[in-house]
Amino acid sequence: MSVPNHAPMPGRPVPPMFSPGRIWTLAAATFTQLVRMRTFYFLLFFAVLVFGMSNVNLLYTAEQQLSTIRGTSFGAMWLFAWLFAVTATAVVIPRDIEDRTLYTILSKPVPRVEYLLGKFFGVLLVITVALGAMLLLSGLVLEFRKAGLIAETRSYLEQSPDLTPADIQGQLDAISSEGFHPRLFTAAWIILLQAAVMAAATILVSTFASSSLFTIIVGIAFFLIGHGHRIAVDYWSEGGATNNWLAWAAKVVPDFHIFNVHEKIVAGSTASPLVMAEITAYAGVYCVVYLLLGWYMFSDKEF
Amino acid sequence: MDSQPDIPAVYHGRPRRPLVRKTLLVLLVLWAFGAVRGAWETPLIASLRGADLLQAVPARETETKLGRNSVLAILGGMRPLMAVYAKLSAVDKWEIADWDEVEKWYGITILLQPEDYQHRIDLAWHCAYNARAYYETSQHVPSGVDRAREMEVWTDKGLAYLDAAIPEFPDRGELLQEKAQILERKKHDPCAAAETYRLALGKKGVLGYVERFVGYQLAQCPGKEQEAYTYLKRLYDEAEKNHLPTLIHEVKRLERKLQIPLLLRIPDPEPDQPGTRNTVPGLKVP
């Protein structure tokens, strides 16, 4: 006789309907699963890129050298985060089916929503650890390079009798301000939020997709459209054009343009706590909507 | 042996829903969410742009230059990486003195990193100094080319790039300083150079010597001798650190020209090398 998933066994305590502990267990297992796929090898590429950029000098001023290291580091972090969110999320559920882990999990009193949340948070955990490592590495390179540039600049500025101590200090302060700054944590947080939205959207796609490849392609297309539809809508509606079908269709896709705030923060702007809270809430709402829809699709899916 | 139980027509008490119907329902919900979210999204974007945290959507010109697909990438976090590539290409073209290409690649670099004013300075410097010098001295310039005209064209281009950038960075003095230097050294227009140096004073990134440069250029500007003398004499009287060869030379020259009474003249002897400024190798200042 078949036993429904959530039917309690006679004589055993009824498991809780929703358990953060179970979600954490699933997230930790997903983390291990992804780490075993050697996903952190990307960090090697990142390290080579950051060290390489710290030695590139295209007639850069000292400030430009530091801002280039910062910009490329965060560019690589941004690329890793969203691309990993799509690809990792696209493979975790099919991998569970392939390994038959999914059947073992779902035959236990684990609600499907917890399974999805476990996968979602597992992917986010990997991205968080990787972003943290990349942030640390870029911070170290930035500070190391900054120290070198300040020493070099000081030595040659001090040779000039034209420059006052205030002038020299001003130049050194300008270089110093281009080094690592706590505001970069907020930029990394926004990158993480964007990755979270992408992971949630990819989970939604993977609940009805027939293959990982399809999920990855749709996920990447989703990201590109989400990134560019505002430009496209604004472009085509310039001068009162009536191609409103695009604006209509764009409603299905989130506006990732908002997350570009991280670029300005990396460049030197500071986002207020209110702005950060608003962007976090924006991403949170998207994640909740996508995960709820994913749950709806996954709730009675047969394997 | 027990017979197999019948497979129930319902699963967990719920009827099976066809995948297509469910997918359409999901799309409908997403669309409805998209319609609702506009009320939140539009003011959020406006406030982010107002706080200078979000770049405005590029205009048609951008699309023409790079193509729509590139525009998508521009708005992503890959911009700094693409800018490095564009700048590498510009440097590569500089090595072969292909100035149109240098200009093009710097244009793309600026497009990708519009917030970095230093790219504007670099482009202006390439145009007004390097390209100009190429047309002035290179043996590779084709014989039919009007060298003098090209020199002026490229100098004017350098100035034009700075003129376009200055309103975008009203608090940065480096752009004005660069413009003043081009006016001084390449256009030989001390009056305009003095005025531009003066505009740079007090702005970010402007070093103390620019204050003296205003006076030096005023001293060369016909009809401004008295103003220049007053200005430079004030600097001379202000601090011992200002008693530099060029300043002393200019003050003494103006004293003679304006026939300042001997008793009011500065006591310093004429410097050995008048007109020489102290410079630091590698520092892009005169």
Side-chain angles (χ1 to χ4, degrees):
Chain A
M1 189 181 155
S2 65
V3 179
N5 267 359
H6 305 296
M9 295 295 284
R12 290 199 181 169
V14 179
M17 286 292 287
F18 187 81
S19 161
R22 282 196 301 251
I23 294 171
W24 170 249
T25 305
L26 284 162
T30 307
F31 179 83
T32 311
Q33 184 187 12
L34 290 169
V35 170
R36 283 178 182 158
M37 289 181 193
R38 299 192 172 98
T39 47
F40 286 135
Y41 276 24
F42 181 84
L43 291 176
L44 283 176
F45 163 76
F46 181 79
V48 170
L49 179 78
V50 174
F51 283 116
M53 288 315 300
S54 68
N55 288 300
V56 167
N57 189 357
L58 302 172
L59 286 180
Y60 285 148
T61 60
E63 293 97 310
Q64 270 185 311
Q65 279 196 44
L66 293 174
S67 71
T68 303
I69 297 171
R70 224 175 40 227
T72 45
S73 302
F74 275 81
M77 285 160 73
W78 171 83
L79 180 69
F80 166 82
W82 76 261
L83 204 54
F84 185 81
V86 173
T87 50
T89 315
V91 296
V92 284
I93 297 177
R95 181 59 73 94
D96 274 3
I97 296 170
E98 200 179 293
D99 297 346
R100 304 196 172 270
T101 320
L102 182 78
Y103 308 115
T104 316
I105 295 168
L106 294 185
S107 64
K108 295 189 171 7
V110 176
R112 291 189 175 203
V113 66
E114 287 185 6
Y115 173 78
L116 286 183
L117 287 174
K119 291 289 152 193
F120 173 71
F121 285 117
V123 171
L124 276 195
L125 196 58
V126 176
I127 297 172
T128 308
V129 170
L131 282 180
M134 287 191 265
L135 192 61
L136 179 70
L137 185 66
S138 62
L140 288 173
V141 171
L142 267 174
E143 286 304 295
F144 180 75
R145 197 75 192 98
K146 186 179 90 179
L149 287 167
I150 284 179
E152 280 172 34
T153 311
R154 188 195 297 277
S155 73
Y156 79 72
L157 287 182
E158 281 176 350
Q159 291 170 30
S160 169
D162 267 4
L163 298 173
T164 62
D167 283 343
I168 294 172
Q169 196 52 49
Q171 293 279 295
L172 299 179
D173 288 347
I175 297 170
S176 192
S177 69
E178 294 293 334
F180 190 82
H181 190 277
R183 73 167 191 281
L184 295 177
F185 285 109
T186 57
W189 174 249
I190 291 173
I191 290 174
L192 181 66
L193 290 177
Q194 186 179 14
V197 175
M198 273 316 298
T202 312
I203 278 189
L204 168 61
V205 176
S206 71
T207 54
F208 59 82
S210 52
S211 72
S212 297
L213 187 63
F214 173 81
T215 311
I216 291 170
I217 290 170
V218 172
I220 291 174
F222 198 76
F223 180 80
L224 292 177
I225 295 167
H227 236 65
H229 71 69
R230 182 162 290 275
I231 309 165
V233 169
D234 286 5
Y235 174 74
W236 274 306
S237 57
E238 208 174 78
T242 51
N243 289 347
N244 288 331
W245 61 270
L246 194 71
W248 187 87
K251 292 197 189 307
V252 179
V253 186
D255 189 350
F256 286 116
H257 176 66
I258 285 172
F259 298 104
N260 284 347
V261 167
H262 82 268
E263 290 176 40
K264 285 279 187 180
I265 296 173
V266 171
S269 304
T270 307
S272 67
L274 185 69
V275 165
M276 292 304 295
E278 208 164 358
I279 295 174
T280 305
Y282 182 79
V285 168
Y286 266 109
C287 289
V288 168
V289 169
Y290 288 146
L291 288 171
L292 282 174
L293 290 173
W295 178 31
Y296 169 71
M297 292 295 291
F298 195 63
S299 59
D300 57 359
K301 186 172 180 174
E302 289 184 61
F303 300 99
Chain B
M1 189 175 165
D2 292 343
S3 59
Q4 288 287 323
D6 292 337
I7 296 170
V10 291
Y11 186 67
H12 299 180
R14 286 166 292 177
R16 290 196 181 122
R17 287 160 291 208
L19 185 64
V20 175
R21 210 181 71 196
K22 286 182 78 174
T23 309
L24 285 175
L25 187 62
V26 165
L27 284 173
L28 189 68
V29 172
L30 279 177
W31 187 86
F33 175 59
V36 173
R37 77 175 196 232
W40 182 22
E41 215 167 59
T42 310
L44 175 61
I45 289 173
S47 74
L48 291 174
R49 283 184 183 159
D52 195 29
L53 285 167
L54 207 56
Q55 206 173 311
V57 172
R60 276 176 185 268
E61 188 198 5
T62 311
E63 192 227 3
T64 316
K65 276 186 180 170
L66 286 175
R68 191 153 48 89
N69 292 337
S70 299
V71 170
L72 295 176
I74 288 168
L75 297 178
M78 293 300 285
R79 285 194 307 117
L81 285 172
M82 290 169 68
V84 169
Y85 172 76
K87 189 151 181 179
L88 263 172
S89 304
V91 171
D92 184 46
K93 300 301 175 190
W94 173 31
E95 284 177 1
I96 56 167
D98 188 342
W99 303 112
D100 289 323
E101 285 292 304
V102 170
E103 193 183 8
K104 184 187 92 178
W105 282 107
Y106 260 105
I108 294 171
T109 311
I110 290 166
L111 196 66
L112 294 166
Q113 288 188 312
E115 69 282 356
D116 191 341
Y117 64 89
Q118 192 62 44
H119 293 319
R120 325 289 181 104
I121 293 177
D122 291 348
L123 174 55
W125 176 68
H126 277 300
C127 292
Y129 292 86
N130 297 330
R132 183 188 165 97
Y134 170 80
Y135 284 105
E136 189 175 10
T137 59
S138 176
Q139 295 175 346
H140 301 293
V141 177
S143 56
V145 171
D146 184 346
R147 284 176 181 263
R149 184 181 164 276
E150 287 299 323
M151 283 164 63
E152 284 310 304
V153 164
W154 284 96
T155 309
D156 290 343
K157 273 189 184 185
L159 287 171
Y161 281 121
L162 291 170
D163 283 336
I166 287 164
E168 286 182 49
F169 301 93
D171 58 333
R172 300 304 316 195
E174 295 95 329
L175 293 154
L176 284 160
Q177 197 177 322
E178 185 70 19
K179 183 184 171 186
Q181 283 171 6
I182 296 172
L183 288 168
E184 174 193 345
R185 298 170 180 186
K186 302 299 171 190
K187 299 299 275 187
H188 305 294
D189 185 349
C191 304
E195 195 49 44
T196 313
Y197 277 130
R198 201 197 297 268
L199 288 172
L201 288 178
K203 292 185 188 285
K204 277 187 201 166
V206 172
L207 299 176
Y209 57 70
V210 171
E211 195 177 14
R212 295 196 299 277
F213 286 11
V214 176
Y216 298 159
Q217 292 306 303
L218 272 179
Q220 307 299 324
C221 180
K224 295 276 187 180
E225 290 82 2
Q226 183 59 53
E227 189 185 341
Y229 173 73
T230 311
Y231 186 94
L232 289 171
K233 183 70 171 34
R234 180 180 60 78
L235 289 180
Y236 178 90
D237 293 338
E238 226 170 54
E240 186 86 22
K241 68 178 172 66
N242 287 336
H243 295 193
L244 296 162
T246 308
L247 191 133
I248 291 168
H249 168 74
E250 289 298 340
V251 171
K252 292 188 85 65
R253 189 177 65 79
L254 290 167
E255 282 171 344
R256 287 192 297 272
K257 192 166 187 177
L258 297 169
Q259 296 179 330
I260 303 293
L262 285 172
L263 282 172
L264 294 176
R265 293 188 183 186
I266 59 172
D268 303 67
E270 184 68 47
D272 291 338
Q273 291 177 302
T276 307
R277 289 180 191 164
N278 292 304
T279 57
V280 180
L283 186 65
K284 239 170 74 175
V285 294

